[in-house]
Amino acid sequence: MQQLIKRAETVLEALPYLIKFNNKIIVIKYGGAAMQSEELKHKVIQDVILLKMMGMEPVLVHGGGPEINKYLRKQKIEPKFIGGYRVTDKETMKVVQKVLGEKINQQIVSLIKKAGGKAKGFFGKKGRVIKAFKYWKKDENGEKIDLGFTGQVGGIRFRYLKKWMKLGYIPVLTSIGVGKRGGVYNINADKAAAAIAAYLKAEKLIMMTDVKGVLNTSGELISHVNTYKAGKMIKGGSISGGMIPKVKSCLYALRKGVKTAHIIDGRVPHAILLELFTDHGIGTMVKK
Ligand SMILES: Nc1ncnc2c1ncn2[C@@H]1O[C@H](COP(=O)(O)OP(=O)(O)OP(=O)(O)O)[C@@H](O)[C@H]1O
Ligand SMILES: [Mg+2]
C-alpha cells in the first residue's frame, strides 16, 4: 500500500507542469545519436506519446545525418559539409529522400503506432508541409556558395498540421521541403524545426542531440547561452559544425515568439521528460 501511495505521489509531482503545458505545442527536433540506439528510440517515442496523452501537443521533426552518411559512403560518395550545412548534389538528394523520407520517417510513425499512439508522417511532397527554396550560403567575403539542393524554409502549412493535431495525431516531419516548381530540397533539420515552432507559435523548442548541450572549449556544459555569447563562441570557433545551425535556429525561434528553446542530450533516457518536468531542466537553455 505504502508503495502504491508513493507511486501516486510521484505521478502527482507532474501536476504543476501539466497545468503549465496543457494544450501547449512542444516541437522536438530528434537527431544524432539518440536515433542510432533502438532502446533510446523507443524511450523517445514513449515520451512523446505520453506528452500527447497528458494534454500537450508534441510535434516531432527528425534529422538523420549519421544514417545519410552511412548510405552515401556505401555508394562511395563522401559526405560534404560547409559551415555545418550539407552540400546536396543530385545523388545525395536521392539518398536524403530515401533515408529520411522512406526509411526514418516511416519507421518513427510505425513505432508510435505500435506503442499505442497516433502519428502522421509528412515528408517532401507528402503533405507539402514545408515550402522551400534554394539556400545560398555566403562566405566571409559575402560571396555566394552553391550547396546544390540544400534548401531554406519558405513557409509552413501550419493550419494543415494543426488539423491533424486536433484529430489526435502526432505529426512526424522530415526536413525535406518542396519548391514552387515541385522540386525537393534538403533542409537542415534544426532550421526546419525552428521554422515549424515559429509558425505553430510553439511554447517550447527542444533540440535533442548527441552531446550534453553547448559545451565550452574544456568540454563542460554551458547551462545558458544568449545571442551575444553564442555569436562570440561561433566567431571564436568554440561552437562549430552542426552546433552552429542548432544554436542559430534556437535564437531564430525565440525571436519569432517561441517561449523557450533548449539543446538537450538525447543519449540520456527520457531526456524530454527531464527537461519538461523539472524546474531546472537539462542541457543548455538558449536565450535571446
Ligand atoms: N560548442 C559545442 N558544443 C557542443 N557540440 C558542438 C560544439 N561545437 C560543435 N559541436 C558539434 O555539434 C554536434 C551536434 O550537431 P550535429 O549536426 O552533428 O548533430 P544533430 O543535429 O543532433 O543530428 P542531425 O544533424 O543528424 O539531425 C556535436 O556532436 C559536436 O560534434
Ligand atoms: Mg545537425
Coordinates of all heavy atoms in Angstrom, one line a residue, residues 29 31-32 63-66 81 84 188-190 209 241-243 245-246, ligand 2:
K29 N 13.0 18.4 -32.0 CA 13.9 18.0 -33.1 C 14.7 16.8 -32.5 O 15.3 16.8 -31.5 CB 14.9 19.2 -33.4 CG 16.2 18.7 -34.0 CD 16.2 18.2 -35.4 CE 17.4 17.4 -35.7 NZ 18.7 17.9 -35.5
G31 N 17.5 13.9 -33.4 CA 18.5 13.6 -34.4 C 19.7 13.0 -33.7 O 19.7 12.7 -32.5
G32 N 20.8 12.9 -34.5 CA 22.0 12.4 -33.9 C 22.0 11.0 -33.3 O 21.3 10.2 -33.8
G63 N 16.0 14.5 -38.0 CA 17.2 14.6 -38.9 C 17.6 13.1 -39.3 O 16.7 12.2 -39.2
G64 N 18.8 12.9 -39.5 CA 19.3 11.6 -39.8 C 20.6 11.6 -40.4 O 21.0 10.8 -41.3
G65 N 21.4 12.6 -40.0 CA 22.7 12.8 -40.6 C 23.6 11.6 -40.6 O 24.1 11.2 -41.7
P66 N 23.8 10.9 -39.5 CA 24.7 9.7 -39.5 C 24.2 8.6 -40.4 O 25.0 8.0 -41.1 CB 24.6 9.2 -38.0 CG 24.2 10.4 -37.2 CD 23.3 11.2 -38.1
F81 N 30.3 18.9 -46.1 CA 29.7 20.0 -45.3 C 30.4 21.3 -45.4 O 31.6 21.3 -45.4 CB 29.6 19.5 -43.8 CG 28.6 18.4 -43.5 CD1 29.1 17.1 -43.6 CD2 27.3 18.6 -43.2 CE1 28.2 16.0 -43.4 CE2 26.4 17.6 -43.0 CZ 26.9 16.3 -43.1
G84 N 28.6 23.5 -41.3 CA 27.5 22.8 -40.7 C 26.4 22.4 -41.7 O 25.5 21.7 -41.3
N188 N 18.3 21.7 -43.4 CA 18.9 21.4 -42.1 C 17.7 21.2 -41.2 O 16.9 22.1 -41.0 CB 19.8 22.5 -41.7 CG 20.4 22.2 -40.3 OD1 19.7 22.5 -39.3 ND2 21.6 21.7 -40.2
A189 N 17.7 20.0 -40.5 CA 16.5 19.7 -39.7 C 16.4 20.6 -38.5 O 15.2 20.9 -38.0 CB 16.7 18.2 -39.2
D190 N 17.4 21.2 -38.0 CA 17.3 22.2 -36.9 C 16.6 23.4 -37.4 O 15.7 24.0 -36.7 CB 18.7 22.7 -36.4 CG 19.5 21.5 -35.9 OD1 18.9 20.5 -35.5 OD2 20.7 21.6 -35.8
T209 N 20.2 16.2 -29.1 CA 21.4 15.9 -29.9 C 22.3 14.9 -29.2 O 21.8 14.2 -28.3 CB 22.1 17.3 -30.2 OG1 23.2 17.0 -31.1 CG2 22.6 17.9 -28.9
G241 N 30.6 23.3 -36.6 CA 29.9 22.2 -37.2 C 28.4 22.3 -37.1 O 27.8 23.4 -37.2
G242 N 27.8 21.2 -36.7 CA 26.3 21.1 -36.6 C 25.7 21.9 -35.5 O 24.5 22.1 -35.4
M243 N 26.6 22.3 -34.5 CA 26.1 23.1 -33.4 C 25.8 24.6 -33.9 O 25.0 25.2 -33.2 CB 27.1 23.1 -32.3 CG 26.6 23.6 -30.9 SD 25.0 22.8 -30.4 CE 25.5 21.2 -29.9
P245 N 24.1 25.7 -36.8 CA 22.7 25.9 -37.2 C 21.8 25.6 -36.0 O 20.7 26.2 -35.9 CB 22.5 24.9 -38.3 CG 23.7 24.0 -38.3 CD 24.8 24.8 -37.7
K246 N 22.2 24.8 -35.1 CA 21.3 24.5 -33.9 C 21.1 25.7 -33.1 O 20.0 26.0 -32.7 CB 22.0 23.3 -33.1 CG 21.0 22.5 -32.4 CD 21.6 21.3 -31.6 CE 22.3 20.3 -32.5 NZ 21.4 19.7 -33.6
Ligands
MG2 MG 22.6 18.7 -37.3

